[in-house]
Amino acid sequence: MGGLSRRQRARHPGRPRVLHTSVPTSEGTAGVLLTYVRDQVERGWSVTVACPSEGWLGYSAREIGAEVRWFDAAREPGPSVAEEVGRYARLLADLEPDLVHLHSSKAGLVGRLAVRSQVPTIFQPHGWSFLAGGGPKAVLAARWERFAARWTDHLLCVSDGEAEVGRERGVLAPISVVPNGVDLERFTLTDDDERREARRALDLVVDAPTVVCIGRLSAQKGQHVLLDAWPEVLRACPAARLVLVGSGPDEQVLRERAAGLEGVQMVGPRTDVPAWLSAADVVVFPSQYEGAALAPMEAMAAGRSVIASWIEGIEESLPYECGAMVRPDRPEDFAEAIVRRLTEPGLADAEGMRGWRHVLATRDAAEAARRVSQLSLSLVESRPRRRGP
């Protein structure tokens, strides 16, 4: 990019130019990003979102007043990285942002290689890439994050656990923790009558005990564990139904497995997530790792009992009285927790009400977005000098 241009050096008090970049364009990361964009647009800032054209993120950002630049990139690192870095550098030269906010590992890789501290940079991992698996790939990912800390003006973590894992792995950039919040206008408490109405609208069996799992169909989100548990659920509750909402790299494998199980329905990616939460008796999240999972909090905001993996990134946001946490590698524990709540609907409803009260009191997305905007403005105003590569 070279040195800062005249346009970059010009002061725009209170109206910085912010570039948000993400490769994920749906589900949790996109939802969190959109709350930041909404707050910053409402402040009168110039906000641009760079992301792939698939998914709903770019279209939703445009609807709330952000500029959108399509930036198609592979989800995983590979031979395309060099070309992606070049395209991103050209995007930076065209937009000349005052701040770059990179969301998730791939945007963090491409963005920091292109920016290299020439513009104040926030990196928000939304779940560390080195937790995605073991072996050489994880070692290289951790090594990269340690190296890239030199080009990270601020590391934004969504949980204390995520921040602690980063420190333990030697990622030494300045860190702030801003827990994910829930859009309380979109995700609202629904009662039993609204549950039945939602099932009719979604063409589900109205009287069947219904379990819903929402998330990207991938090894991280653990739907395979839930399918392992499902035969045991059916033995105790033969009328039970399981709905998997989402798409992803494991979709074909999961569809093949689901075809051999009774009562399992896969509905693909959906934008009407609140309706699926409303239709559920219980919502299950069998994730294998998370930064700070947003979806369980959205389920609690809808007044639904939550069963989730007992892992960092979930345990901080799911009080025990709002559902159950079980080991992520034990399908039998998921089955037991599901069966108990399907056969004791009063328990599930009571947990859902406690979850709703917890989210209402502690997890307002608007407050989280305000904190991120304040951090962003402080970085712009500090104008740190370019440190170079």
Side-chain angles (χ1 to χ4, degrees), residues 374-389:
Q374 289 164 2
L375 169 64
S376 300
L377 188 58
S378 71
L379 289 173
V380 171
E381 291 177 342
S382 69
R383 285 292 181 185
R385 290 174 124 185
R386 180 180 181 275
R387 295 189 294 273

Side-chain angles (χ1 to χ4, degrees), residues 7-28:
R7 178 182 171 191
Q8 284 176 300
R9 290 193 297 267
R11 302 296 293 175
H12 295 275
R15 194 177 187 272
R17 295 180 296 275
V18 180
L19 172 60
H20 289 273
T21 306
S22 177
V23 176
T25 55
S26 61
E27 296 154 353

Side-chain angles (χ1 to χ4, degrees), residues 78-369:
S80 63
V81 166
E83 185 271 335
E84 291 162 356
V85 170
R87 280 195 288 117
Y88 197 77
R90 291 191 290 275
L91 180 64
L92 291 166
D94 182 40
L95 294 174
E96 297 184 336
D98 298 310
L99 177 80
V100 172
H101 190 150
L102 304 168
H103 298 262
S104 75
S105 59
K106 183 60 185 298
L109 171 64
V110 171
R112 285 178 290 180
L113 284 172
V115 178
R116 291 185 292 176
S117 297
Q118 295 180 88
V119 175
T121 301
I122 296 174
F123 172 53
Q124 186 167 354
H126 297 277
W128 291 109
S129 59
F130 48 73
L131 298 180
K137 183 178 178 180
V139 172
L140 288 173
R143 186 178 300 167
W144 156 252
E145 291 298 346
R146 288 192 293 271
F147 179 84
R150 71 191 63 195
W151 296 328
T152 307
D153 292 274
H154 216 88
L155 181 64
L156 185 59
C157 292
V158 291
S159 70
D160 290 329
E162 184 178 63
E164 184 59 29
V165 168
R167 293 188 190 100
E168 289 174 353
R169 297 297 183 94
V171 184
L172 301 180
I175 296 178
S176 290
V177 175
V178 179
N180 286 338
V182 177
D183 183 346
L184 297 176
E185 294 183 2
R186 185 178 182 219
F187 295 92
T188 58
L189 179 67
T190 55
D191 60 21
D192 193 55
D193 288 340
E194 289 167 305
R195 174 162 33 215
R196 297 172 68 85
E197 182 180 337
R199 290 180 184 176
R200 291 189 186 95
L202 297 171
D203 200 26
L204 300 176
V205 180
V206 173
D207 296 322
T210 301
V211 178
V212 172
C213 177
I214 299 173
R216 188 168 184 258
L217 303 181
S218 65
Q220 177 196 351
K221 298 300 182 180
Q223 289 92 349
H224 62 282
V225 176
L226 186 51
L227 293 184
D228 288 341
W230 194 244
E232 189 171 339
V233 174
L234 289 178
R235 281 191 284 273
C237 304
R241 296 291 185 271
L242 170 62
V243 182
L244 301 184
V245 181
S247 62
D250 289 358
E251 183 167 356
Q252 185 58 39
V253 172
L254 292 171
R255 284 191 179 277
E256 291 172 0
R257 289 199 58 195
L261 296 170
E262 292 292 330
V264 180
Q265 183 176 355
M266 299 181 65
V267 299
R270 301 293 296 247
T271 58
D272 55 346
V273 170
W276 293 95
L277 294 176
S278 183
D281 292 296
V282 177
V283 186
V284 182
F285 300 98
S287 297
Q288 303 301 290
Y289 66 92
E290 292 284 356
L294 178 62
M297 290 183 286
E298 293 172 343
M300 286 190 284
R304 295 299 177 257
S305 175
V306 172
I307 299 169
S309 296
W310 196 342
I311 56 174
E312 287 184 352
I314 292 182
E315 63 179 340
E316 291 181 27
S317 60
L318 179 58
Y320 74 91
E321 65 270 20
C322 302
M325 286 187 291
V326 302
R327 281 181 45 177
D329 58 345
R330 290 182 62 87
E332 61 271 27
D333 290 355
F334 276 99
E336 181 181 353
I338 292 168
V339 168
R340 185 181 177 199
R341 284 153 183 83
L342 294 185
T343 56
E344 299 180 42
L347 169 66
D349 288 344
E351 290 174 338
M353 285 300 297
R354 289 192 289 266
W356 171 72
R357 287 193 290 267
H358 171 74
V359 170
L360 199 66
T362 65
R363 294 290 185 161
D364 185 353
E367 176 57 29

